[in-house]
Amino acid sequence: MTTPPEEPIDPVARLAEASARLKAAAREAGRESDVAIVVAAKTQTAETLTPLLAAGHRLFGENRVQEAQAKWPPLKARFPDIRLSLIGPLQSNKARDAVALFDEIASLDRIKLAAALAAEMAAQNRRPDLLVQVNTGEEPQKAGVAPQDLPAFLAACRAEYGLSIAGLLCIPPADEPPAPHFALLAKLAARHGLARLSMGMSGDYEIAAQLGATEVRLGSSLFGPRG
Ligand SMILES: *Cc1c(COP(=O)(O)O)cnc(C)c1O
């Protein structure tokens, strides 16, 4: 007996399926507004991503500035309305490159980085949207502002650096149920009048949608496990 060849993964079909599940989850929770999907494109080639672009998808996330610099300028030239989000940690010395390439930076988590971004935004006259990453699980190895430090951090971003913050992002601890973390992030956003909530990944995006996510970030559910 021969084993049939494995079906190749079709990210366009999987995106449509994820989108339908997301809509259903949001509707079940009584939410009217759509939840956007940020395609987490790390390690994926332009060749893999092009069918998604051809199908009309425009919102993508990358984790590393250098990888994004190699991949996206030619794609942006072909599809000028791409929105590229930096969802991975950013070093202050890469702020210039990040502001030049990304349409939003969703990993703001330190005053030093806020200062570097503010300076680059002024110098380049570019205003990428900014999301603050919150370390809801207070994990020592994880990036993000601790929840109790968020009020002072937001105040400093606004008052000292003139930065307007669009929303919050979190990555819950891998070994805990995500719902309390999503609920905490939603509470913090509401308390500070922040509209956008980037939360939920392949394993938990429906829960995130029910708890108020305005965008989820999907990688492996679209492309299969990363090698
Ligand atoms: C890779 C990545 C994702 C996507 O994770 P999956 O579990 O593959 O969907 C989401 N957010 C961030 C910050 C990531 O680095």
Side-chain angles (χ1 to χ4, degrees):
M1 230 168 65
T2 55
T3 31
E6 252 182 70
E7 286 262 337
I9 289 171
D10 177 357
V12 173
R14 287 189 170 205
L15 181 66
E17 187 190 319
S19 178
R21 288 172 63 168
L22 203 50
K23 272 203 182 66
R27 205 175 316 118
E28 196 181 307
R31 298 186 58 202
E32 303 271 320
S33 44
D34 275 353
V35 183
I37 295 177
V38 179
V39 170
K42 59 173 175 275
T43 77
Q44 306 302 332
T45 61
E47 196 186 359
T48 305
L49 299 169
T50 299
L52 291 165
L53 287 158
H57 194 78
R58 290 294 179 269
L59 190 51
F60 294 84
E62 285 284 354
N63 286 68
R64 291 167 176 274
V65 175
Q66 239 179 329
E67 180 181 342
Q69 280 176 318
K71 199 188 295 181
W72 287 96
L75 292 170
K76 278 192 157 189
R78 286 173 63 196
F79 303 95
D81 54 343
I82 285 172
R83 272 192 69 80
L84 195 57
S85 178
L86 180 62
I87 59 175
L90 177 60
Q91 293 173 315
S92 303
N93 64 9
K94 297 255 174 66
R96 173 170 306 170
D97 291 341
V99 167
L101 179 62
F102 286 92
D103 303 293
E104 67 177 49
I105 294 169
S107 54
L108 173 56
D109 65 349
R110 307 180 309 286
I111 286 294
K112 189 180 172 202
L113 181 58
L117 289 172
E120 280 306 326
M121 287 163 67
Q124 299 183 33
N125 195 25
R126 273 180 59 85
R127 296 275 174 279
D129 285 350
L130 300 175
L131 275 69
V132 170
Q133 183 170 350
V134 181
N135 188 358
T136 56
E138 300 185 56
E139 297 172 279
Q141 83 287 4
K142 194 168 271 177
V145 177
Q148 68 271 19
D149 297 337
L150 185 65
F153 184 77
L154 291 172
C157 284
R158 288 177 181 136
E160 290 172 39
Y161 301 105
L163 295 175
S164 116
I165 304 299
L168 302 177
L169 173 148
C170 78
I171 305 172
D175 55 353
E176 287 181 27
H181 297 274
F182 296 155
L184 172 59
L185 199 72
K187 191 175 84 177
L188 292 170
R191 184 181 297 161
H192 294 285
L194 301 171
R196 290 178 51 194
L197 272 178
S198 177
M199 57 188 199
M201 315 200 313
S202 289
D204 53 23
Y205 65 91
E206 289 161 290
I207 300 169
Q210 294 184 326
L211 291 171
T214 58
E215 54 230 69
V216 299
R217 309 176 307 272
L218 302 185
S220 53
S221 55
L222 308 179
F223 302 113
R226 283 178 291 277

